Amino acid sequence: MKITNHHSAPKKIETRGLPQRLWMLSYGVAVVFLGSCSLLPAKTIDNQQSDTQAQNTTVPNPVIVPPQIFSSSGDPNFVVKVVQQVGPAVVRIDSSRTITSRVPDEFNNDPFFRRFFGEGTPQPRQRVERGSGSGFIINSSGQIVTNAHVVDGADRVTVILKDGRTFDGKVLGEDPVTDVATIKINANNLPTLSVGNSDALQPGEAVIAIGNPLGLNNTVTSGIISATGRSSSEIGASDKRVDYIQTDAAINPGNSGGPLLNARGQVIAMNTAIIRGAQGLGFAIPINTVQRIAQELIAKGKVDHPYLGVQMVTLTPENKERIKKVAGDRLNLTADEGVLLVDIVPRSPASVAGLRVGDVIKSINSQPVTKIEEVQKLVEKSKIGTKLPIEVERNGQIVQVGVQPAPLPVRREG
């Protein structure tokens, strides 16, 4: 671990030993790649108790009840009704892109290779890479949402409806940071999905996933919401800015971009990722996030995310002790909690504003922070070009810094 003193150029603090998880985008391809608006609030009712129970309890505890489809109908086949209701609005998305392999320069410049091959110098080779994912219709005039990784770099996108109709799809925009994309097909009077409120979800709620896993069209799986608010760093997708919904409904390659539905048949998330080697762990992007990003993609074709240009680590007693052992007296780390800056990107907004390696962020816009995820959320909510007040602890002193976020430079996968 290296920490420079204040008289030399700042260098990155190496944070070795921090856990990293491999994850797999649930995208159906021949070779699996590794990587990383009406709102309906949830309803609660008071627990109904018998007279005897009431006598033994001073304050009744409210409980969250199953969705109305259970309590009103008691139909054990509620999944069948949901699938019949929403199935036609779920689509299959096939994509293809042409990959050209470059001929090494030595074939063209080295006399030995030219003498060996003569004038028959190898020509660049091309191969077509094909993939399959899912999506769902959000507008009767042919607007569809899916994952950005389903259509990333595609030369051709084909959309297949449940009734068998096939359309050429036009990608309106992609946002790799949230993994959301929008597609348009030339069709009208299409079925659409009703939208739920992903902010009101509770662990334990029943959910249904529909998609085309492993090329098996119109596959239905069901389960529950296992957790909400899973940060991207928790699942090993640190390059994303999403708080995921976790579900045990079976999700496999090819489910990417398909809907995760509640028991009312409302879409509450978009299925996106699984952790490699795990079972019963699927992750979906909340529909409120999907809608917000999709609207910007439809309007502008892109989404600008605020960017500071820092690399951070949550300051825990363990991390602090490890850093102090390696850095010694080169770093006056007095804070016990906060977010430690371990690298500053040159010429970034953070660098221009004067943030330094070794600073510990204590608050952003007057809101205290103790975790990386809290910093990311507050930065994401900030406005590009508007100064963001950041309070840091530096050498035991509190320093106020104003950073003006810039648009996030997006690195596209090749």
Side-chain angles (χ1 to χ4, degrees):
M1 181 182 302
K2 297 181 180 179
I3 303 177
T4 58
N5 58 36
H6 297 295
H7 302 290
S8 60
K11 294 182 180 179
K12 176 180 178 181
I13 300 174
E14 298 180 5
T15 53
R16 297 179 181 175
L18 298 180
Q20 292 185 345
R21 301 177 180 89
L22 291 176
W23 81 319
M24 177 171 63
L25 294 173
S26 53
Y27 178 25
V29 292
V31 178
V32 177
F33 293 96
L34 299 180
S36 9
C37 280
S38 58
L39 304 180
L40 299 180
K43 297 180 180 179
T44 62
I45 65 171
D46 291 335
N47 188 21
Q48 297 179 353
Q49 298 175 315
S50 65
D51 292 340
T52 302
Q53 291 173 319
Q55 292 174 1
N56 296 330
T57 306
T58 56
V59 180
N61 294 321
V63 296
I64 299 174
V65 298
Q68 197 65 29
I69 190 168
F70 292 126
S71 56
S72 62
S73 67
D75 185 359
N77 291 320
F78 73 96
V79 174
V80 175
K81 293 184 178 180
V82 169
V83 173
Q84 292 174 342
Q85 173 188 340
V86 307
V90 181
V91 304
R92 171 171 173 157
I93 299 173
D94 290 341
S95 62
S96 62
R97 61 176 178 174
T98 302
I99 307 297
T100 301
S101 57
R102 187 177 64 89
V103 177
D105 292 336
E106 55 262 27
F107 280 103
N108 297 317
N109 301 326
D110 193 298
F112 169 78
F113 285 105
R114 294 194 63 83
R115 184 168 61 253
F116 183 80
F117 287 101
E119 296 302 322
T121 302
Q123 297 299 310
R125 293 184 177 182
Q126 291 185 337
R127 74 178 190 277
V128 177
E129 196 174 75
R130 303 182 188 277
S132 179
S134 306
F136 53 94
I137 304 169
I138 59 172
N139 186 289
S140 61
S141 61
Q143 291 174 348
I144 296 167
V145 293
T146 186
N147 282 138
H149 71 262
V150 170
V151 296
D152 184 36
D155 302 317
R156 182 177 182 182
V157 174
T158 303
V159 177
I160 302 100
L161 305 188
K162 186 179 180 181
D163 62 14
R165 286 183 291 168
T166 300
F167 298 88
D168 288 332
K170 176 183 178 182
V171 178
L172 299 179
E174 306 172 43
D175 181 39
V177 176
T178 57
D179 203 7
V180 175
T182 54
I183 300 172
K184 178 71 170 64
I185 61 175
N186 291 324
N188 293 296
N189 301 317
L190 295 175
T192 62
L193 295 183
S194 60
V195 178
N197 181 9
S198 53
D199 289 341
L201 299 176
Q202 298 285 340
E205 288 187 39
V207 290
I208 303 160
I210 304 179
N212 309 289
L214 305 173
L216 302 172
N217 293 352
N218 308 312
T219 294
V220 179
T221 58
S222 66
I224 61 169
I225 293 175
S226 305
T228 59
R230 290 291 192 213
S231 68
S232 55
S233 59
E234 283 184 295
I235 71 169
S238 57
D239 61 327
K240 300 291 184 282
R241 292 190 183 181
V242 176
D243 281 344
Y244 295 90
I245 294 168
Q246 181 181 321
T247 178
D248 70 348
I251 296 175
N252 291 283
N255 272 117
S256 278
L260 189 68
L261 306 140
N262 62 19
R264 300 182 182 89
Q266 298 168 326
V267 57
I268 46 91
M270 181 166 66
N271 300 317
T272 298
I274 57 178
I275 292 180
R276 184 187 184 191
Q279 294 184 1
L281 290 177
F283 300 92
I285 304 171
I287 193 61
N288 291 7
T289 300
V290 173
Q291 282 188 299
R292 175 175 59 85
I293 298 300
Q295 288 169 1
E296 290 194 52
L297 291 175
I298 292 170
K300 302 186 303 181
K302 64 175 184 175
V303 178
D304 289 326
H305 296 273
Y307 161 75
L308 301 185
V310 298
Q311 184 175 343
M312 311 170 285
V313 62
T314 296
L315 195 58
T316 63
E318 294 79 8
N319 283 342
K320 180 178 179 179
E321 188 65 25
R322 185 162 65 245
I323 291 169
K324 289 180 69 174
K325 282 183 179 179
V326 177
D329 58 3
R330 289 174 294 171
L331 180 66
N332 183 19
L333 188 57
T334 59
D336 292 320
E337 64 177 9
V339 177
L340 175 66
L341 301 185
V342 298
D343 191 27
I344 306 293
V345 178
R347 298 179 296 280
S348 67
S351 176
V352 172
L355 287 175
R356 303 176 185 173
V357 169
D359 286 350
V360 177
I361 300 178
K362 306 297 289 185
S363 70
I364 294 181
N365 204 17
S366 300
Q367 298 188 47
V369 295
T370 59
K371 299 178 181 178
I372 290 177
E373 294 81 10
E374 295 169 346
V375 173
Q376 292 172 332
K377 288 179 183 179
L378 290 172
V379 171
E380 184 68 14
K381 292 179 181 178
S382 67
K383 294 183 179 180
I384 294 173
T386 301
K387 279 195 175 181
L388 184 65
I390 299 180
E391 181 181 271
V392 301
E393 183 174 322
R394 178 184 298 164
N395 297 323
Q397 302 295 319
I398 298 298
V399 179
Q400 306 291 337
V401 180
V403 184
Q404 187 169 300
L408 174 69
V410 176
R411 179 187 301 172
R412 296 182 63 87
E413 297 181 1

